Amino acid sequence: MKKIKYLLITLACALNLNTIAMAASIPIESFSSLPLLESPQISPDGKSMVSIYNTAKGPMVVQSQFPSNKLTALAQLKKAKDRVDFVRWSGNKHVIIGTSYPDNYRGSYSRVSRIYSIDTETKKTRELTHRRLRKDPWHKLQSYSLVSTLKNDHEHILVSTYDTRDKGYSLFKVDLTDGSFDKYQANTYEIDSWFADHDGTVRLGIGIKKQEGLFADKGHFITIWYRKTADDKFKKLHHKQMGKGDTFAVLGLTEDATKAYVLSDRKTRRQSLWLFDIASGKFEKKIFGHEKYDLDGGINDSDGELIGVTWSDDFEQRYYFKDKDRQVLDTVKASLEDYQVFIASKSRDNTKVLAYAIQDNSPGKYFWFDLSANKGGIWFSQYPKLENQPLASVQAIEFLASDGKTIPGYLTMPVNLQPDTKPPLVVLPHGGPHSRDYRYFDPLVQLIAHEGYAVLQINFRGSSGFGTDFETSGYYQWGRRMQQDIMDGVDWLNKQNLVNGDACIVGGSYGGYVALTAAIQTNQAFKCFVSIAGISDLEEMIDDEERADSYVANIVDPADSDAKKALADVSAINHLDKIKAPILLIHGTKDTRVNFQQSSDFYSKAKSKGLNVRYIELKDGTHFLDNPDNRKIAYGEISAFLNKYL
């Protein structure tokens, strides 16, 4: 381990010192580029690696020999159309690629998922779609999902897709040599998602159904189906109404398949890992949980086996079930002491490892380790143009909201701030809202700080990760208590005497809603507002049939007509007369999360009222600005807007 540590220190110094003079100003393009390389995966035998490589022409899937950084293209996807969602090995020869693209359905865009296989020996790429289903005229809107790469069968995978004959999502065994589909499991159970163990036996199915009727409780219900062997029929393991009672999410099964690993907030009111006895239908014991934070989910190895769970304080933390997996992480952490580290991928024998290392003020980068040879080194930085640059540190904060609740967040101050200088403030609320901010390096945070502004990020109530009570206290609180938490954070920061009192709000998705709502509720507190893919009309979003899912129930009770009407009070589009400061709107035309008309309609009405509003409509843009050109435009517009008005 000492040899590995010495080598990494040497390489890290070379990485940080190869530029003698720091640049006085970093170009916006350095912040707005997509991560250079994402989701690297080591083959089971440890000899090869595949990853997503973002280029100016669109995402590319590339291969390299371990640990070489010489990349060979396997597949080039279409710019502004396709997104690579994952890459995965099936054995040591075939690479499975999950992609998605937005397509129009009944006037709005939805995301369609497709799967491809690549033979790394012949470099032949094949789209894995069912021959019979391809004849249907609506097939272009049909999604395919990977269920299992079949650990012991490297020539086949399991794929799920909707089959009109079953009137449901059925399971197919797909031959990777010729792309043929064979029915593996017909769907007679109203199952939407299938789950197989690491040997490929399909044991779990999950169905989500909206029930309405005279004698049925209204709401969304989730049913988990289970069978012990491939010859058994599926039986209901669990049935509950979403949003009511204890949570129940199966992460995996024990080796004998008699017990389930379940993520639940029972007893602790925080997501913890429990062992559930299937035969008795009772919880057996709590395996692991954190006293303050929710568990985020499971860790699966390259064969699909559950080997641990994750949770997050300021950074992601990992808990492994087995000593051998813990030892790999401990060895890597000891060699990268100054970084937050987790294992990105490793070979089946645990000797070849890719580690992801990141700091709050340093971009994420991948390091390779050959533990059998006691060697290691730097592989790639995700943002190479931001290496060797002065970047801002992120500070964890807490404050008391006006009702006494403790609210966590983060404060980033500009680099090289002169003594007694107080910068203007940019409030950056996260999207979701059921997500959260972390202390990790974030290129948008760093761009804003580099421009000379303080950045305040607040994990307002309703944010996930801090326990069930904290999250549910934000339900039905759009524009109300969640909004007040953000204003309380601004008031708290002003009392710290660190900023000069001038402020703007910049937010994406739900954060964009926060910005627009602040423009009508607290218009005197801010000098400008930026909404990226934000929501201006909650009533319209609720009434949108394509959005009528379980998520909406956290905004308003769909059955309560008076509550739905009250959404008009917290929808900026209905209160244009209260807006006093400039607004920048940015929205992609192929956003599948928030319809771009939320911004375009707001712009049209605001412009007709003579308001100072600018609208940037990104052609083919998605919700996440994952097109390199669109992200460059968006970041440039945000920078120019802040510099003009703040």
Side-chain angles (χ1 to χ4, degrees):
M1 188 174 72
K2 290 183 178 179
K3 291 183 179 179
I4 295 178
K5 184 175 179 180
Y6 175 78
L7 176 59
L8 289 173
I9 290 174
T10 302
L11 290 172
C13 289
L15 181 66
N16 290 325
L17 299 178
N18 61 8
T19 300
I20 296 176
M22 291 182 176
S25 179
I26 307 172
I28 293 177
E29 291 78 6
S30 298
F31 297 98
S32 63
S33 62
L34 296 175
L36 180 67
L37 199 123
E38 298 179 279
S39 304
Q41 295 293 306
I42 300 177
S43 60
D45 63 8
K47 295 181 179 179
S48 186
M49 299 179 288
V50 292
S51 54
I52 302 168
Y53 185 67
N54 291 307
T55 74
K57 296 181 179 180
M60 180 184 293
V61 177
V62 295
Q63 180 183 11
S64 62
Q65 297 304 305
F66 184 91
S68 171
N69 59 7
K70 183 179 180 181
L71 306 177
T72 301
L74 293 178
Q76 174 76 62
L77 282 81
K78 295 180 181 178
K79 182 179 179 181
K81 178 177 173 62
D82 297 317
R83 182 173 72 203
V84 182
D85 296 317
F86 67 84
V87 291
R88 195 167 302 165
W89 286 94
S90 178
N92 299 308
K93 177 182 178 184
H94 296 286
V95 173
I96 311 302
I97 306 174
T99 72
S100 61
Y101 61 89
D103 212 324
N104 194 288
Y105 178 66
R106 294 182 179 178
S108 64
Y109 280 93
S110 58
R111 187 155 286 276
V112 180
S113 298
R114 292 294 169 91
I115 298 175
Y116 296 81
S117 67
I118 300 177
D119 186 323
T120 59
E121 295 178 357
T122 65
K123 303 299 187 291
K124 183 176 182 179
T125 301
R126 185 188 303 274
E127 183 178 6
L128 301 178
T129 54
H130 196 296
R131 182 177 180 182
R132 168 170 58 85
L133 299 176
R134 285 199 301 266
K135 298 178 182 179
D136 293 323
W138 46 265
H139 184 259
K140 71 171 187 173
L141 297 171
Q142 181 157 356
S143 287
Y144 292 77
S145 60
L146 176 66
V147 175
S148 175
T149 53
L150 298 176
K151 175 181 178 181
N152 299 316
D153 181 358
H154 300 159
E155 299 301 320
H156 297 85
I157 60 173
L158 297 183
V159 171
S160 174
T161 192
Y162 188 86
D163 191 345
T164 52
R165 292 180 180 177
D166 295 341
K167 296 182 179 179
Y169 289 89
S170 299
L171 202 58
F172 297 87
K173 191 173 186 178
V174 181
D175 191 321
L176 297 177
T177 60
D178 60 15
S180 60
F181 277 59
D182 288 326
K183 181 68 69 69
Y184 189 77
Q185 176 68 53
N187 192 344
T188 58
Y189 303 94
E190 296 184 334
I191 290 175
D192 299 308
S193 302
W194 301 90
F195 296 88
D197 64 18
H198 59 273
D199 288 325
T201 301
V202 179
R203 301 185 187 275
L204 287 174
I206 297 178
I208 299 176
K209 187 176 182 180
K210 184 177 182 180
Q211 294 183 5
E212 290 181 305
L214 184 60
F215 301 106
D217 291 331
K218 293 184 178 181
H220 287 75
F221 290 78
I222 181 169
T223 303
I224 300 176
W225 302 79
Y226 164 80
R227 66 179 179 186
K228 185 176 181 180
T229 71
D231 297 325
D232 293 338
K233 291 185 177 181
F234 282 91
K235 297 180 181 180
K236 289 183 180 180
L237 173 66
H238 193 78
H239 179 77
K240 72 180 296 288
Q241 184 172 354
M242 296 179 69
K244 293 187 176 181
D246 299 334
T247 59
F248 189 98
V250 178
L251 296 184
L253 300 174
T254 56
E255 290 186 10
D256 61 4
T258 62
K259 296 177 175 62
Y261 295 109
V262 174
L263 208 60
S264 176
D265 63 354
R266 65 187 304 268
K267 295 187 177 181
T268 65
R269 299 293 287 170
R270 286 181 173 81
Q271 301 295 332
S272 302
L273 188 68
W274 295 79
L275 193 63
F276 182 82
D277 183 79
I278 296 171
S280 66
K282 296 180 179 180
F283 285 94
E284 190 171 287
K285 64 178 180 179
K286 186 174 80 169
I287 298 174
F288 180 77
H290 193 276
E291 61 183 13
K292 184 177 180 179
Y293 302 102
D294 291 316
L295 298 187
D296 300 323
I299 306 169
N300 294 87
D301 64 13
S302 57
D303 295 318
E305 181 179 356
L306 184 71
I307 59 174
V309 289
T310 66
W311 54 276
S312 299
D313 41 30
D314 293 327
F315 303 98
E316 181 183 294
Q317 309 295 337
R318 295 193 167 198
Y319 172 81
Y320 288 98
F321 302 150
K322 296 180 179 179
D323 289 339
K324 64 182 181 67
D325 295 312
R326 283 199 286 280
Q327 289 169 0
V328 171
L329 180 60
D330 290 344
T331 298
V332 169
K333 280 187 172 181
S335 301
L336 297 166
E337 293 177 345
D338 295 332
Y339 291 93
Q340 297 294 320
V341 180
F342 62 82
I343 305 302
S345 182
K346 57 189 178 67
S347 60
R348 187 173 291 173
D349 65 3
N350 279 351
T351 62
K352 307 298 190 301
V353 178
L354 277 177
Y356 183 74
I358 191 171
Q359 295 172 323
D360 59 340
N361 61 350
S362 180
K365 30 196 158 277
Y366 293 101
F367 291 82
W368 64 268
F369 291 82
D370 185 343
L371 300 183
S372 62
N374 210 26
K375 295 180 179 179
I378 292 171
W379 193 47
F380 278 101
S381 170
Q382 289 192 304
Y383 295 91
K385 293 181 181 179
L386 291 178
E387 297 288 353
N388 319 307
Q389 300 289 356
L391 299 174
S393 296
V394 182
Q395 175 188 352
I397 61 167
E398 281 187 345
F399 62 89
L400 292 180
S402 51
D403 65 351
K405 197 175 193 68
T406 300
I407 306 296
Y410 301 99
L411 176 65
T412 305
M413 299 295 286
V415 174
N416 298 327
L417 193 64
Q418 297 299 314
D420 300 323
T421 301
K422 300 175 185 177
L425 172 66
V426 172
V427 182
L428 191 65
H430 64 70
H434 310 308
S435 61
R436 59 159 291 183
D437 280 319
Y438 302 87
R439 198 176 159 192
Y440 283 120
F441 166 88
D442 182 313
L444 181 56
V445 171
Q446 292 295 335
L447 169 63
I448 296 172
H450 180 71
E451 297 281 305
Y453 309 111
V455 183
L456 180 63
Q457 299 170 275
I458 297 173
N459 283 319
F460 42 82
R461 72 194 71 193
S463 301
S464 59
F466 301 95
T468 300
D469 294 337
F470 191 85
E471 179 173 333
T472 57
S473 65
Y475 289 1
Y476 308 150
Q477 295 301 313
W478 284 49
R480 297 182 174 89
R481 190 64 254 186
M482 288 196 294
Q483 192 82 13
Q484 186 60 46
D485 284 348
I486 293 170
M487 293 309 304
D488 289 344
V490 174
D491 291 342
W492 170 84
L493 183 58
N494 285 330
K495 292 176 182 177
Q496 305 308 304
N497 202 29
L498 296 174
V499 293
N500 67 13
D502 292 335
C504 285
I505 293 187
V506 177
S509 193
Y510 174 79
Y513 167 81
V514 170
L516 294 177
T517 303
I520 64 171
Q521 289 185 350
T522 48
N523 50 37
Q524 301 300 321
F526 300 98
K527 300 186 70 174
C528 58
F529 307 91
V530 180
S531 170
I532 311 161
I535 302 147
S536 64
D537 190 340
L538 278 179
E539 286 183 287
E540 174 63 28
M541 189 176 76
I542 296 296
D543 289 336
D544 187 345
E545 290 298 325
E546 300 304 317
R547 292 286 305 177
D549 54 20
S550 59
Y551 172 73
V552 167
N554 297 334
I555 303 173
V556 66
D557 182 355
D560 188 339
S561 58
D562 290 336
K564 289 178 66 176
K565 291 178 182 178
L567 295 177
D569 295 336
V570 288
S571 295
I573 199 168
N574 300 317
H575 305 280
L576 298 175
D577 57 313
K578 297 180 179 180
I579 296 174
K580 307 300 180 184
I583 292 177
L584 171 64
L585 304 167
I586 301 174
H587 218 132
T589 59
K590 292 186 178 180
D591 190 330
T592 59
R593 294 288 185 93
V594 177
N595 195 306
F596 77 96
Q597 291 179 336
Q598 286 278 343
S599 292
S600 64
D601 289 350
F602 181 89
Y603 172 72
S604 297
K605 292 183 179 182
K607 204 66 178 173
S608 69
K609 296 283 188 179
L611 299 181
N612 185 351
V613 57
R614 176 172 170 78
Y615 177 38
I616 307 300
E617 191 169 275
L618 301 173
K619 182 181 178 182
D620 298 325
T622 68
H623 192 68
F624 300 103
L625 298 176
D626 49 15
N627 177 292
D629 293 340
N630 287 342
R631 182 171 294 199
K632 181 179 179 181
I633 292 170
Y635 280 30
E637 290 285 346
I638 293 169
S639 175
F641 187 78
L642 292 176
N643 290 336
K644 182 176 182 179
Y645 294 109
L646 188 56

